[in-house]
Amino acid sequence: MTIFKKRAFWLAALLTFICSVLGSFLAKLPYLSLIGALVLSLLLGIAFQSFPQTINKASSGIGFISNKFLRLGIILLGFKLNLITLANAGIKTIILSIIVVSGMITLTYYLCKKFGAESELAILTACGCGICGAAAVMGVSPQIETTNEERKRENEVLAVAVVCVMGTVFTLIEIFLKPFIGSSQFGIMAGGSLHEIAHAVATGGAGGAISLQNAIIMKLSRVLLLAPVALLIGLWYRKKMAANTLNTKTTNSKLPIPWFLGGFILTSIIGTFVPFIAPYLDSLVQIAYLFLGMAMAALGMSVNFKVIFKRGKSVFSAAAISSTVLLIFMIIAAKALF
């Protein structure tokens, strides 16, 4: 690494660190908690585009952080996932999560394509709505190979914007519905229907301790599916590209195994079964969100938002419809099964 690249990296690290820390602080404030630390970090990164000379000096470092720090953050996020807690939640919760994730991804992708969105943007939006918001978008994105990195960053930000807006809107809707749904059922509904972990926690907490616990368990059971979904999408996209290009080299290439998501599963196993890690779990999860926030801020510093606003109508419309369908389904499922 040359001295100029080192300077760019450290400048980018400083800028994104500021955004991530400030985003985490702002996410603790009333109302802003509905948006979440990751999206706030993204918005702060966007704000830094007001200083183009500084961003240009840090440009090579920004690309590194948006890529490598993202993977590191997702690996550490596995410490949040307690496998025993999920197992104790019962087979109903796991099966319901599989139905929600597979159904939501399929429906959202279909609607996005129906409304004219390109395939890459459609699948990122579908995964963000179906699994766990911004973390899912950024976790699945590396599985989509492309030669146009700028277009890929635009798709990532637009998909994150969709899950942020839809998640926030439906958080407010579900809090309004709280008086009509039982406490434990309310948590199941929130964890099964909302996109970001922050949305599920904010909504589930409004229903009390039992509701919050159920919301977290239901949401984390969807998060658990991030790794297998990313692998399946990588396989699907590889076959799709091979079919379009008739390229035998592409067909015979290595499987797109998301090794960093393997790390996510490994850290969840360590966090669940290694006793001496327990006192440090909260700190490790906070570090995970620090790195993810830095990656989101880097993303916000490097995209063309004029282009994004022109392309957003199709995916916002699709996500609004699929999110409404998911909410109705989860109300029925929570009342029927829990």
Side-chain angles (χ1 to χ4, degrees):
M1 185 181 287
T2 66
I3 187 170
F4 296 105
K5 288 185 177 180
K6 287 181 180 179
R7 288 176 178 174
F9 168 77
W10 287 113
L11 177 58
L14 175 62
L15 296 177
T16 55
F17 178 81
I18 291 171
C19 291
S20 184
V21 172
L22 186 56
S24 297
F25 171 77
L26 292 173
K28 297 176 182 178
L29 300 177
Y31 305 110
L32 290 180
S33 62
L34 297 179
I35 299 175
L38 296 185
V39 176
L40 288 169
S41 298
L42 173 71
L43 295 175
L44 290 168
I46 294 170
F48 266 106
Q49 289 197 18
S50 302
F51 306 96
Q53 291 183 340
T54 303
I55 295 299
N56 287 337
K57 291 179 181 179
S59 58
S60 60
I62 288 171
F64 180 88
I65 288 173
S66 65
N67 188 313
K68 304 301 182 183
F69 279 39
L70 164 71
R71 288 164 168 78
L72 181 56
I74 289 178
I75 289 171
L76 294 176
L77 191 62
F79 286 112
K80 189 179 181 68
L81 192 64
N82 188 293
L83 300 177
I84 293 178
T85 301
L86 292 181
N88 290 338
I91 192 67
K92 283 192 301 185
T93 302
I94 302 299
I95 292 177
L96 182 57
S97 295
I98 293 172
I99 293 171
V100 165
V101 169
S102 59
M104 190 63 174
I105 290 176
T106 302
L107 177 60
T108 307
Y109 179 80
Y110 169 79
L111 291 172
C112 286
K113 294 290 289 180
K114 195 75 173 176
F115 293 152
E118 64 186 70
S119 179
E120 292 85 351
L121 176 57
I123 197 62
L124 290 178
T125 303
C127 289
C129 292
I131 308 173
C132 55
V137 172
M138 302 306 290
V140 170
S141 183
Q143 295 297 92
I144 300 176
E145 298 180 4
T146 179
T147 56
N148 190 337
E149 290 297 324
E150 182 178 356
R151 186 74 164 188
K152 186 175 183 178
R153 287 194 296 271
E154 290 173 3
N155 288 338
E156 289 169 349
V157 173
L158 186 47
V160 169
V162 169
V163 296
C164 169
V165 172
M166 289 299 112
T168 303
V169 168
F170 278 84
T171 292
L172 298 174
I173 291 173
E174 293 189 20
I175 290 176
F176 173 78
L177 294 174
K178 180 171 67 71
F180 309 101
I181 301 173
S183 178
S184 60
Q185 295 171 339
F186 182 74
I188 295 294
M189 177 197 71
S193 62
L194 293 171
H195 306 327
E196 291 277 1
I197 294 176
H199 295 145
V201 170
T203 306
I210 294 176
S211 172
L212 176 59
Q213 180 181 353
N214 287 343
I216 292 173
I217 291 173
M218 188 69 213
K219 186 62 192 176
L220 291 182
S221 67
R222 292 168 65 190
V223 174
L224 179 63
L225 298 173
L226 175 57
V229 167
L231 176 58
L232 290 172
I233 287 174
L235 291 169
W236 167 75
Y237 195 80
R238 171 173 160 270
K239 290 182 179 179
K240 181 174 178 288
M241 290 298 293
N244 289 340
T245 61
L246 298 178
N247 188 335
T248 56
K249 183 177 180 181
T250 303
T251 304
N252 295 324
S253 62
K254 293 182 179 180
L255 293 178
I257 298 174
W259 294 110
F260 67 100
L261 290 173
F264 170 84
I265 298 297
L266 178 61
T267 53
S268 69
I269 293 172
I270 293 173
T272 301
F273 297 107
V274 178
F276 67 83
I277 294 291
Y280 308 104
L281 287 179
D282 288 342
S283 297
L284 289 168
V285 171
Q286 289 177 7
I287 294 172
Y289 276 106
L290 173 66
F291 284 127
L292 288 172
M294 291 175 71
M296 294 296 290
L299 187 63
M301 294 175 186
S302 59
V303 294
N304 185 337
F305 289 92
K306 291 181 180 179
V307 176
I308 288 174
F309 289 135
K310 292 179 181 178
R311 300 170 53 218
K313 183 178 179 180
S314 60
V315 285
F316 272 101
S317 300
I321 295 171
S322 63
S323 296
T324 302
V325 172
L326 178 59
L327 174 57
I328 294 171
F329 172 79
M330 281 307 305
I331 291 174
I332 296 171
K335 286 186 171 292
L337 301 175
F338 296 90

